[in-house]
Amino acid sequence: MALLSFLFPSKPNTASMVKERLQIIIARERNGGGGPDFLPALHKELIEVISKYTRINPEDIDNSLARQGNLDVIDINVVLPDA
Amino acid sequence: MARIIVVTSGKGGVGKTTSSASFSSGLAMRGHKTVVIDFDVGLRNLDLIMGCERRIVYDLINVINKEATLNQALLKDKHCDNLFILPASQTHDKEALSEAGVENILNELVNMGFEYIVCDSPAGIEHGALMALIFADDAIIVTNPEVSSVRDSDRILGIIQAKSRRAQTGSEPVKEHLLITRYSPKRVAADEMLSYQDVQEILRIPLIGIIPESESVLHASNQGNPAIHFKGTDVAEAYEDVVARFLGEELALRFANYEEPNLLQRIFGAK
């Protein structure tokens, strides 16, 4: 089997990968240039709200914006400290 | 009414100058009085692609600085009687390219009866590229089916939509055309390269043509003759189609799909 794949190396199909990467980065850059970028403000307020109820490091909150098809998806990830 | 067309891309090396040379030659070959202007001050190359580098006496910046008249700086093309070239300066500073100076030259060219004014933009998104696109009626966005070129094309489209005179004054927006160059249908068929449909889906502007990857582009630039003059080559025919579509003809896409070579072609070494 190893010999076979050595003799007939299969090329990776990378076109679909690059298309997806481009769609994400371009959606992000178009937003940056267009409407107001609310992510930093959202980030700050999230920290304030969560800090009311539990002790948290600002670095433990991560938010990002991605595009899936026709939808903008905000991905928020909060790591709560061990009790 | 004269039309000002900017050929731009953001990224360098994708085929702006090659496309400007063939596109302007194609317009002139169809009988339109055309001028092609090199906006790449300090790194001019259109003169080499058009094969007129040894005839340059005055350039764009000399005209802006009133050291020469426009007629003195315009070079007549060696192939087409109604095509003229306005070379960039090789020595001056880029900042000499003032907005008012460029506007005056474009107005004077319109008054001289030019129907099409093709502006060959430098790479990048800085002053020179901005001066090339600011007065445009049409923009040809030259894009390779490759990740950095597509991203940069999107960026330059954003700049056209924000900074062009048409955008600033709120008149009819600049008409955008996607020109995909260095396209390899064989690699697209193998899923190794973005298809033209993919590029179009990402950039969302109408396609004006596809120029296949070809050896003849290097042969053409080696000799200083625009690729459209190499009759019978795929590249020349693809550029002829681009010119026809720009002038309003509806043509089916060519050189977009891969055809397996048949037995005879394989024996005689078709690519």
PDB file of all heavy atoms in Angstrom, chain B residues 9-25:
ATOM      1  N   SER B   9      -5.926  45.786  -9.995  1.00  0.00           N
ATOM      2  CA  SER B   9      -5.958  44.449  -9.380  1.00  0.00           C
ATOM      3  C   SER B   9      -5.574  44.446  -7.900  1.00  0.00           C
ATOM      4  O   SER B   9      -5.842  43.460  -7.220  1.00  0.00           O
ATOM      5  CB  SER B   9      -4.991  43.518 -10.097  1.00  0.00           C
ATOM      6  OG  SER B   9      -3.662  43.921  -9.831  1.00  0.00           O
ATOM      7  N   GLY B  10      -4.925  45.488  -7.428  1.00  0.00           N
ATOM      8  CA  GLY B  10      -4.353  45.419  -6.088  1.00  0.00           C
ATOM      9  C   GLY B  10      -3.035  44.673  -6.098  1.00  0.00           C
ATOM     10  O   GLY B  10      -1.971  45.247  -5.936  1.00  0.00           O
ATOM     11  N   LYS B  11      -3.096  43.375  -6.351  1.00  0.00           N
ATOM     12  CA  LYS B  11      -1.884  42.553  -6.332  1.00  0.00           C
ATOM     13  C   LYS B  11      -1.046  42.797  -7.597  1.00  0.00           C
ATOM     14  O   LYS B  11      -1.594  43.089  -8.661  1.00  0.00           O
ATOM     15  CB  LYS B  11      -2.279  41.085  -6.257  1.00  0.00           C
ATOM     16  CG  LYS B  11      -1.094  40.159  -6.032  1.00  0.00           C
ATOM     17  CD  LYS B  11      -1.550  38.724  -5.871  1.00  0.00           C
ATOM     18  CE  LYS B  11      -0.380  37.816  -5.586  1.00  0.00           C
ATOM     19  NZ  LYS B  11       0.606  37.789  -6.681  1.00  0.00           N
ATOM     20  N   GLY B  12       0.251  42.669  -7.455  1.00  0.00           N
ATOM     21  CA  GLY B  12       1.154  42.821  -8.592  1.00  0.00           C
ATOM     22  C   GLY B  12       1.337  41.505  -9.344  1.00  0.00           C
ATOM     23  O   GLY B  12       1.107  40.436  -8.788  1.00  0.00           O
ATOM     24  N   GLY B  13       1.754  41.611 -10.590  1.00  0.00           N
ATOM     25  CA  GLY B  13       2.138  40.425 -11.346  1.00  0.00           C
ATOM     26  C   GLY B  13       1.000  39.550 -11.828  1.00  0.00           C
ATOM     27  O   GLY B  13       1.209  38.406 -12.200  1.00  0.00           O
ATOM     28  N   VAL B  14      -0.239  40.079 -11.814  1.00  0.00           N
ATOM     29  CA  VAL B  14      -1.361  39.248 -12.229  1.00  0.00           C
ATOM     30  C   VAL B  14      -1.716  39.431 -13.707  1.00  0.00           C
ATOM     31  O   VAL B  14      -2.483  38.642 -14.252  1.00  0.00           O
ATOM     32  CB  VAL B  14      -2.619  39.495 -11.365  1.00  0.00           C
ATOM     33  CG1 VAL B  14      -2.368  39.108  -9.918  1.00  0.00           C
ATOM     34  CG2 VAL B  14      -3.070  40.928 -11.455  1.00  0.00           C
ATOM     35  N   GLY B  15      -1.151  40.467 -14.337  1.00  0.00           N
ATOM     36  CA  GLY B  15      -1.403  40.666 -15.765  1.00  0.00           C
ATOM     37  C   GLY B  15      -2.097  41.973 -16.113  1.00  0.00           C
ATOM     38  O   GLY B  15      -2.727  42.070 -17.159  1.00  0.00           O
ATOM     39  N   LYS B  16      -1.938  43.005 -15.270  1.00  0.00           N
ATOM     40  CA  LYS B  16      -2.562  44.298 -15.569  1.00  0.00           C
ATOM     41  C   LYS B  16      -2.001  44.900 -16.849  1.00  0.00           C
ATOM     42  O   LYS B  16      -2.753  45.321 -17.721  1.00  0.00           O
ATOM     43  CB  LYS B  16      -2.301  45.297 -14.428  1.00  0.00           C
ATOM     44  CG  LYS B  16      -3.160  45.129 -13.204  1.00  0.00           C
ATOM     45  CD  LYS B  16      -2.848  46.207 -12.177  1.00  0.00           C
ATOM     46  CE  LYS B  16      -1.423  46.129 -11.680  1.00  0.00           C
ATOM     47  NZ  LYS B  16      -1.090  44.907 -10.954  1.00  0.00           N
ATOM     48  N   THR B  17      -0.672  44.969 -16.930  1.00  0.00           N
ATOM     49  CA  THR B  17      -0.067  45.634 -18.075  1.00  0.00           C
ATOM     50  C   THR B  17      -0.278  44.817 -19.347  1.00  0.00           C
ATOM     51  O   THR B  17      -0.611  45.367 -20.404  1.00  0.00           O
ATOM     52  CB  THR B  17       1.426  45.893 -17.802  1.00  0.00           C
ATOM     53  OG1 THR B  17       1.515  46.694 -16.621  1.00  0.00           O
ATOM     54  CG2 THR B  17       2.085  46.621 -18.939  1.00  0.00           C
ATOM     55  N   THR B  18      -0.126  43.505 -19.253  1.00  0.00           N
ATOM     56  CA  THR B  18      -0.395  42.623 -20.396  1.00  0.00           C
ATOM     57  C   THR B  18      -1.826  42.842 -20.889  1.00  0.00           C
ATOM     58  O   THR B  18      -2.071  42.961 -22.095  1.00  0.00           O
ATOM     59  CB  THR B  18      -0.231  41.155 -19.950  1.00  0.00           C
ATOM     60  OG1 THR B  18       1.116  40.981 -19.500  1.00  0.00           O
ATOM     61  CG2 THR B  18      -0.522  40.194 -21.076  1.00  0.00           C
ATOM     62  N   SER B  19      -2.764  42.933 -19.931  1.00  0.00           N
ATOM     63  CA  SER B  19      -4.172  43.099 -20.302  1.00  0.00           C
ATOM     64  C   SER B  19      -4.440  44.498 -20.850  1.00  0.00           C
ATOM     65  O   SER B  19      -5.172  44.646 -21.824  1.00  0.00           O
ATOM     66  CB  SER B  19      -5.067  42.821 -19.095  1.00  0.00           C
ATOM     67  OG  SER B  19      -4.934  41.477 -18.685  1.00  0.00           O
ATOM     68  N   SER B  20      -3.828  45.524 -20.232  1.00  0.00           N
ATOM     69  CA  SER B  20      -4.010  46.893 -20.739  1.00  0.00           C
ATOM     70  C   SER B  20      -3.528  46.995 -22.181  1.00  0.00           C
ATOM     71  O   SER B  20      -4.186  47.621 -23.022  1.00  0.00           O
ATOM     72  CB  SER B  20      -3.201  47.892 -19.905  1.00  0.00           C
ATOM     73  OG  SER B  20      -3.613  47.892 -18.577  1.00  0.00           O
ATOM     74  N   ALA B  21      -2.367  46.381 -22.459  1.00  0.00           N
ATOM     75  CA  ALA B  21      -1.778  46.459 -23.798  1.00  0.00           C
ATOM     76  C   ALA B  21      -2.692  45.776 -24.822  1.00  0.00           C
ATOM     77  O   ALA B  21      -2.996  46.346 -25.878  1.00  0.00           O
ATOM     78  CB  ALA B  21      -0.391  45.807 -23.796  1.00  0.00           C
ATOM     79  N   SER B  22      -3.155  44.574 -24.502  1.00  0.00           N
ATOM     80  CA  SER B  22      -3.972  43.847 -25.471  1.00  0.00           C
ATOM     81  C   SER B  22      -5.373  44.447 -25.588  1.00  0.00           C
ATOM     82  O   SER B  22      -5.927  44.517 -26.683  1.00  0.00           O
ATOM     83  CB  SER B  22      -4.069  42.368 -25.076  1.00  0.00           C
ATOM     84  OG  SER B  22      -2.866  41.718 -25.426  1.00  0.00           O
ATOM     85  N   PHE B  23      -5.929  44.891 -24.484  1.00  0.00           N
ATOM     86  CA  PHE B  23      -7.274  45.463 -24.499  1.00  0.00           C
ATOM     87  C   PHE B  23      -7.295  46.761 -25.315  1.00  0.00           C
ATOM     88  O   PHE B  23      -8.158  46.952 -26.175  1.00  0.00           O
ATOM     89  CB  PHE B  23      -7.732  45.713 -23.062  1.00  0.00           C
ATOM     90  CG  PHE B  23      -9.097  46.309 -22.927  1.00  0.00           C
ATOM     91  CD1 PHE B  23     -10.223  45.582 -23.272  1.00  0.00           C
ATOM     92  CD2 PHE B  23      -9.258  47.604 -22.450  1.00  0.00           C
ATOM     93  CE1 PHE B  23     -11.499  46.130 -23.143  1.00  0.00           C
ATOM     94  CE2 PHE B  23     -10.527  48.156 -22.313  1.00  0.00           C
ATOM     95  CZ  PHE B  23     -11.640  47.416 -22.666  1.00  0.00           C
ATOM     96  N   SER B  24      -6.311  47.635 -25.069  1.00  0.00           N
ATOM     97  CA  SER B  24      -6.300  48.894 -25.817  1.00  0.00           C
ATOM     98  C   SER B  24      -6.006  48.635 -27.292  1.00  0.00           C
ATOM     99  O   SER B  24      -6.599  49.274 -28.172  1.00  0.00           O
ATOM    100  CB  SER B  24      -5.291  49.880 -25.217  1.00  0.00           C
ATOM    101  OG  SER B  24      -4.016  49.308 -25.128  1.00  0.00           O
ATOM    102  N   SER B  25      -5.117  47.673 -27.592  1.00  0.00           N
ATOM    103  CA  SER B  25      -4.852  47.337 -28.990  1.00  0.00           C
ATOM    104  C   SER B  25      -6.111  46.796 -29.656  1.00  0.00           C
ATOM    105  O   SER B  25      -6.403  47.135 -30.810  1.00  0.00           O
ATOM    106  CB  SER B  25      -3.742  46.280 -29.088  1.00  0.00           C
ATOM    107  OG  SER B  25      -2.539  46.772 -28.551  1.00  0.00           O
TER     108      SER B  25
END
